Amino acid sequence: MQHFEPRTPITAKAPAPASLEPPRRIEVAFICATWCATCREFLPQVQRLADANPHVGFLALDVEADADLLGDVDVDDFPTLVVAHPRGVLYYGTTLPQVPVVQRLLDDLLGRDAAPLDSAEAQALAQRIRAADNDG
């Protein structure tokens, strides 16, 4: 079984061409657990998402090792996704651990002007993730 390191950025193997200006910048955090077999199997597949979406930032967070960053967020199941845009969090919830499912979600959010969620918990989490990313 593969293992993932907490707070691991997952980046595209090839950067987006300089001439390709994405219409929106989206950050995706996968909240998982190192002890979760589903997470251990799914997170290595996220590389395919990163390669297909070089304008999207991907981050793997461990519910225990990154507890200081996650705070008191309510995680019902794994993997939980946080999809953040500069306007706010566009998606916060569990997903099927399948690349095509996550890709369809991203395509939908990129293809329309999705309104930020009305969730103080999700917005606070996104702010902590951005602050940690800017610090390190």
Side-chain angles (χ1 to χ4, degrees), residues 56-130:
V56 176
F58 292 90
L59 180 67
L61 299 172
D62 178 71
V63 72
E64 293 172 351
D66 295 314
D68 59 327
L69 178 63
L70 295 173
D72 290 332
V73 296
D74 186 21
V75 176
D76 293 327
D77 207 350
F78 298 110
T80 292
L81 263 63
V82 179
V83 180
H85 183 278
R87 291 189 322 265
V89 174
L90 305 179
Y91 182 86
Y92 174 55
T94 57
T95 185
L96 289 174
Q98 300 171 0
V99 170
V101 171
V102 177
Q103 185 64 61
R104 276 193 305 271
L105 173 65
L106 294 176
D107 290 345
D108 180 55
L109 293 172
L110 285 168
R112 63 181 171 92
D113 287 329
L117 299 177
D118 186 20
S119 167
E121 177 185 52
Q123 301 303 336
L125 174 58
Q127 287 177 345
R128 289 192 303 274
I129 291 170
R130 283 188 202 106

